[in-house]
Amino acid sequence: MRPTPGLPPGPTSRLARAALLLGALAAAPAWASVAAPAATPVLPAAEVKPAAGQAKARQTEPPGGDGARAVSKDGDPQVRAQLDALGYKYQLDGDGDFILTFSLDDDKRSQMAYVLSRTQRFGSLKVREIWSPAYRTGDGGALPAAIANRLLEDGQLSKLGGWVSQDGVAVFVVKIDADASQQTLDDAIDYAVRAADQMEAELTPGQDEF
C-alpha cells in the first residue's frame, strides 16, 4: 500500500513489488500528524475473526435499493483478481467475503480488513464496502456514549468512510464503486486499516484485539 492522500507520509513496501511483503502502514486518520513506520505482513487466520454479526456490521439497505446481489462462496472474481494482482494474501469467510490481516508498526500491532463480495445498489449506484473493526463492548450492547461521540467526531474528519456499530462492535467502513479500479480498492483498504487501527489504539490502549 502507498500512503493515502491527506494522511501522514511514511516509508512503505508493497507486495505488488515484492512477493514476500504485504504493504501496510500504521493507521493514521486525517487528524493525526505523526508519520507511521512501515509495516510487514501476516497471513489472515480464521480463528482471529470475531463472531459473526460482530466484526462485520451489515448495512441496512436504504429505501428504494435493489438489495445485495448473491455471490459465490469463492468470492467476487473481480475482487479476487485485484487482490491477487496486488500480491495480497487473504482467506474467505462463509459469506464469500475476503479477510486480510496486516502487520503494523514493526509487527507490534495487527489489523484486520474485510472486502465484501456482495455489492449494494441504489438507483444507478453500485457500491462495495471495505470494513475494519476497531472496538468491541464487553457485553455486545450499545457503545458507551463517550465512545460513540468520539467515533462521530472522527467520522466528521474522515476523507473516506465512517463508523458504524452493530452488536457492540465499532467498524470503520469505506464505500467505493463496485467496479472500481485495482488502485482504488488498494487505497480504500489502506485507509480503512489505518483509520481502524489508530482508533483501536486510542480507545483500548495496550490492547490489539483486531
Side-chain angles (χ1 to χ4, degrees), residues 96-167:
D97 298 328
F98 297 84
I99 311 170
L100 304 95
T101 303
F102 296 92
S103 179
L104 308 173
D105 194 15
D106 293 332
D107 294 329
K108 295 178 182 178
R109 298 185 59 82
S110 65
Q111 184 62 35
M112 301 176 66
Y114 296 86
V115 180
L116 272 62
S117 286
R118 289 177 175 82
T119 58
Q120 299 287 338
R121 286 185 177 274
F122 185 82
S124 62
L125 303 175
K126 183 171 70 169
V127 299
R128 186 183 311 283
E129 297 178 353
I130 294 89
W131 297 345
S132 192
Y135 177 86
R136 188 203 306 269
T137 62
D139 58 4
L143 297 176
I147 298 293
N149 286 333
R150 178 67 189 95
L151 298 178
L152 286 172
E153 292 172 356
D154 186 72
Q156 192 274 331
L157 297 173
S158 174
K159 291 178 173 62
L160 295 173
W163 294 96
V164 301
S165 172
Q166 180 174 330
D167 298 330

Side-chain angles (χ1 to χ4, degrees), residues 36-200:
T40 52
V42 294
L43 296 180
E47 60 268 21
V48 301
K49 179 185 177 184
Q54 292 186 327
K56 298 194 307 174
R58 293 222 175 265
Q59 302 301 292
T60 302
E61 175 119 12
D66 296 334
R69 65 177 180 81
V71 296
S72 165
K73 295 298 183 180
D74 294 328
D76 189 312
Q78 174 181 308
V79 174
R80 180 186 292 274
Q82 290 177 332
L83 294 177
D84 287 344
L86 289 166
Y88 290 170
K89 297 183 183 298
Y90 52 80
Q91 291 183 346
L92 287 162
D93 67 8
D95 297 323
D97 298 328
F98 297 84
I99 311 170
L100 304 95
T101 303
F102 296 92
S103 179
L104 308 173
D105 194 15
D106 293 332
D107 294 329
K108 295 178 182 178
R109 298 185 59 82
S110 65
Q111 184 62 35
M112 301 176 66
Y114 296 86
V115 180
L116 272 62
S117 286
R118 289 177 175 82
T119 58
Q120 299 287 338
R121 286 185 177 274
F122 185 82
S124 62
L125 303 175
K126 183 171 70 169
V127 299
R128 186 183 311 283
E129 297 178 353
I130 294 89
W131 297 345
S132 192
Y135 177 86
R136 188 203 306 269
T137 62
D139 58 4
L143 297 176
I147 298 293
N149 286 333
R150 178 67 189 95
L151 298 178
L152 286 172
E153 292 172 356
D154 186 72
Q156 192 274 331
L157 297 173
S158 174
K159 291 178 173 62
L160 295 173
W163 294 96
V164 301
S165 172
Q166 180 174 330
D167 298 330
V169 176
V171 184
F172 192 80
V173 180
V174 174
K175 299 184 180 183
I176 60 175
D177 188 283
D179 298 317
S181 69
Q182 175 180 303
Q183 183 62 62
T184 298
L185 176 64
D186 191 21
D187 289 341
I189 295 172
D190 189 2
Y191 196 98
V193 166
R194 292 171 181 238
D197 187 68
Q198 178 72 20
M199 184 57 68
E200 182 182 12

